[in-house]
Amino acid sequence: MSDLVTLVSERAEGHPGRLFARYLETGESEGLVHELTYGQLEERSRAIAAELLARGCRAEPVLLLFPPGLEFLSAFLGCVYAGAIAVPLAPPNPKRLSRTLPRIETVAKDCRARFVLTTSDLAPLRARASELAPDLAAATWIPSDLVESSQAEGYARPEGAGQGLCHLQYPSGSTGAPKGVRISHANVLHNLELMKQAVGQGTGEGAHEVSWLPAYHDMGLVGGLLQPLYHEASLTLLAPVAFLRRPLRWLEAISRFRGTVSGAPDFAYALLAKRASDAEVAALDLSCWTTAFCGAEPIRPSTARHFVERFASAGLAPNAFAPTYGLAEATLIVAMGSPSARAKTLSVDPSALAAGRIEPGERVLVSSGQILSGCVGLIVDPETREPQPANRTGELWVASGSVADGYWERPEASAEVFEARTAAGEGPYLRTGDLAFLDPDGELYVVGRRKDLLIVHGRNVYPQDLEQSVEACHPGVRGAAAFGVEVNDEERVILAVEVDRRGPEDLAAIHRAILRAIASDHELAVSGVALVKRGGLPVTTSGKIQRFAARAAYLEGSLPELARFEGA
């Protein structure tokens, strides 16, 4: 397929009345359902594109601020039809504007967006954004749901529509200097073809995807929305909050609507395996689910085993669970386990692993599958840039037609991440920042991250943001280091906080202030807080916090602690 405009147009011409997507507003199959045919999707996309073009939008970033639902997809494709660059973001929360608007404002400034596509329910927030987000408030806000479908008749495809940049993928959590990954139309199409080959039997007419993943994330956008469109499948959507409030809704939708492909981060599978009752499992029929892809964080060996065992009586095939590996800088998918075979595991020695060697031992690792055809993956020593042999760890470097050309207007960061070359000059490669190894059979095992990013219940959490909240929460705080530790097969947030010397009552008050700040600003629970003496946190010669050193010192108990609090 040459481009997304042609793809959508051909789907609409060939099957105008065929149902493409449904949205379960309450998350319940018996609740309010919104539906969209291929013909309606194409008409809405053309109408929104016509509105953008009439407003003078030309090949430039457009912020997409949408609650869960089908309107997001029409708006995204409206940008595609208009030749604009979509910028999907988490929508502002009307009840928490002081927390959610600044994150959007940083992106609006970074990409200098002049236009915002949103809904009529959220559009009035523009008037309240002038102080918190002046750049965002200065943009032209267009409620796409108020655009008349009849405007589609006036659409004329502009030169370049479906070519060049498709969208900018910004991280969802950072309030610092955001970096938008420049995803081209060619990147998207290449990645969708990779997924089609990897999923195999889960594509084509009769295939059905079920997704509750946020549309502004790479997995929710490319894997959840664009994948079924490209694969000529159909789609059922639930809101993320519907899943979080009652996780079983996800599997009930798969069972009722005969989902063939559906996936989520590791925590979602673990949650369901733990919470589903015998009666709830007995009410499901998951025999239709051929590909249960799992990605977005390290995959726990217990998750794959417990999920498959728990839902085997509901008809879930033992080989349906398909671990994956991907990242936004490569559009989405890089590696995937075969849906026709069980997820592979390997038991390794932790001490040898820490030294970069793979030797038999007691720590069980789950393979993320093999690097997909059309991609090249190298394991490289990040310091010497020498490729490593099988069963030696290093940083994973990737090259493929799915890899973006860099970050939006970040030439130095782009060169560092997207233009890596080996010691012999081979490249360019994308540096993923992930530590991994390939076994002799080509199975990819991801074992850690060189970058500081934390992943908590499928959410990207930036330690800098947590540290800023802590440092502002109490006058006694002098500095903080945020890092993750693994507790019961889950990554938990730990804070090492430097404070002025205080009495026990003051230390308890600081601890309470920290918990309130993290809960309020980030909606997270903290598993441990170590309050340390002033000057007790490890820093570089330039005064920057050394998070990895702080983590090691916390685990071995060598921090000069005044108090330690464990549990939220």
Side-chain angles (χ1 to χ4, degrees):
M1 188 61 62
S2 60
D3 59 77
L4 287 175
V5 176
T6 303
L7 171 67
V8 178
S9 298
E10 289 187 358
R11 295 283 187 267
E13 290 174 5
H15 316 286
R18 181 194 293 176
L19 179 67
F20 169 62
R22 68 170 60 85
Y23 172 63
L24 308 181
E25 187 168 292
T26 65
E28 304 289 345
S29 300
E30 295 77 16
L32 188 60
V33 177
H34 301 281
E35 296 184 338
L36 196 64
T37 66
Y38 278 112
Q40 290 168 333
L41 175 62
E42 199 262 351
E43 182 181 55
R44 292 298 303 157
S45 302
R46 284 191 292 120
I48 294 169
E51 178 68 18
L52 285 171
L53 292 170
R55 300 275 192 131
C57 180
R58 298 288 188 274
E60 59 186 292
V62 176
L63 302 189
L64 303 187
L65 304 180
F66 286 86
L70 300 179
E71 190 64 25
F72 172 90
L73 182 57
S74 297
F76 181 89
L77 293 173
C79 290
V80 170
Y81 269 65
I85 305 165
V87 186
L89 296 173
N93 185 329
K95 297 181 180 179
R96 297 175 178 174
L97 289 182
S98 62
R99 184 173 65 85
T100 55
L101 276 181
R103 295 179 177 180
I104 302 170
E105 173 75 347
T106 58
V107 173
K109 284 183 177 181
D110 186 69
C111 66
R112 299 187 301 279
R114 297 191 305 130
F115 297 93
V116 175
L117 280 174
T118 188
T119 64
S120 54
D121 288 338
L122 292 179
L125 296 181
R126 177 188 180 188
R128 299 168 58 189
S130 56
E131 292 187 8
L132 291 169
D135 286 71
L136 182 64
T140 298
W141 287 46
I142 304 172
S144 65
D145 55 326
L146 298 184
V147 174
E148 297 290 342
S149 294
S150 59
Q151 290 186 232
E153 298 176 5
Y155 170 76
R157 180 172 178 171
E159 184 178 353
Q163 307 296 324
L165 284 185
C166 178
H167 64 282
L168 300 179
Q169 188 67 58
Y170 281 89
S172 61
S174 178
T175 57
K179 295 194 293 289
V181 183
R182 294 166 46 92
I183 306 294
S184 71
H185 285 276
N187 294 149
V188 171
L189 292 172
H190 185 273
N191 210 248
L192 291 173
E193 183 59 28
L194 289 182
M195 280 187 273
K196 184 175 183 178
Q197 295 174 9
V199 173
Q201 62 180 323
T203 66
E205 187 175 355
H208 189 84
E209 177 153 353
V210 177
S211 177
W212 56 266
L213 303 171
Y216 49 84
H217 284 172
D218 53 347
M219 190 192 293
L221 172 59
V222 182
L225 298 182
L226 299 183
Q227 178 183 217
L229 184 63
Y230 183 82
H231 298 170
E232 207 167 356
S234 53
L235 171 67
T236 293
L237 287 176
L238 295 76
V241 70
F243 166 79
L244 293 172
R245 288 175 178 169
R246 186 169 171 268
L248 198 72
R249 287 170 171 155
W250 177 30
L251 302 192
E252 288 173 345
I254 293 172
S255 178
R256 176 172 179 179
F257 297 109
R258 313 311 295 151
T260 57
V261 178
S262 191
D266 179 276
F267 87 91
Y269 291 97
L271 194 64
L272 280 160
K274 184 183 298 183
R275 290 190 181 180
S277 68
D278 290 344
E280 289 171 332
V281 173
L284 298 172
D285 178 4
L286 302 180
S287 59
C288 54
W289 196 4
T290 57
T291 305
F293 63 87
C294 178
E297 60 185 308
I299 299 166
R300 319 292 177 182
S302 58
T303 298
R305 183 177 70 256
H306 292 161
F307 186 80
V308 170
E309 289 175 353
R310 186 72 186 98
F311 294 97
S313 62
L316 182 68
N319 59 352
F321 190 84
T324 65
Y325 170 81
L327 66 167
E329 285 81 355
T331 304
L332 182 59
I333 196 168
V334 171
M336 183 173 179
S338 171
S340 62
R342 291 189 183 220
K344 295 185 178 181
T345 60
L346 188 65
S347 297
V348 302
D349 177 73
S351 299
L353 182 65
R357 305 187 311 275
I358 307 305
E359 298 174 0
E362 66 276 10
R363 180 181 174 185
V364 181
L365 302 176
V366 179
S367 167
S368 293
Q370 298 202 350
I371 303 292
L372 296 176
S373 176
C375 295
V376 175
L378 285 183
I379 304 300
V380 180
D381 184 305
E383 304 303 328
T384 66
R385 302 196 175 215
E386 292 284 355
Q388 300 297 291
N391 282 348
R392 289 287 298 184
T393 65
E395 184 180 14
L396 175 61
W397 290 13
V398 175
S400 83
S402 294
V403 172
D405 67 0
Y407 298 115
W408 177 262
E409 297 185 348
R410 293 284 193 278
E412 292 183 2
S414 296
E416 172 66 20
V417 174
F418 292 89
E419 299 175 20
R421 294 186 179 275
T422 66
E426 299 171 338
Y429 289 96
L430 164 68
R431 299 188 64 165
T432 68
D434 289 309
L435 297 175
F437 67 92
L438 292 166
D439 74 6
D441 295 326
E443 295 287 322
L444 174 68
Y445 292 84
V446 179
V447 297
R449 294 185 296 277
R450 296 190 71 231
K451 47 196 176 186
D452 288 335
L453 182 71
L454 308 177
I455 300 178
V456 182
H457 285 179
R459 261 180 73 191
N460 290 349
V461 179
Y462 290 80
Q464 298 92 332
D465 294 345
L466 303 183
E467 291 158 4
Q468 288 175 12
S469 295
V470 170
E471 290 165 4
C473 78
H474 193 282
V477 173
R478 290 291 173 264
F483 46 86
V485 300
E486 191 165 288
V487 178
N488 295 328
D489 279 345
E490 291 183 355
E491 188 164 69
R492 305 289 180 87
V493 175
I494 303 295
L495 297 167
V497 183
E498 195 172 291
V499 299
D500 290 332
R501 180 173 289 278
R502 303 274 175 140
E505 292 183 2
D506 288 333
L507 294 177
I510 291 174
H511 174 240
R512 290 193 297 270
I514 290 170
L515 296 186
R516 285 196 301 268
I518 297 301
S520 174
D521 294 352
H522 307 282
E523 298 181 329
L524 285 175
V526 177
S527 292
V529 176
L531 301 182
V532 304
K533 296 178 181 179
R534 190 166 186 174
L537 290 180
V539 297
T540 65
T541 54
S542 61
K544 294 181 180 179
I545 294 291
Q546 293 182 303
R547 297 186 186 92
F548 289 155
R551 179 183 184 276
Y554 175 88
L555 292 174
E556 69 186 22
S558 61
L559 286 172
E561 297 180 14
L562 298 171
R564 177 179 287 208
F565 302 87
E566 296 182 339

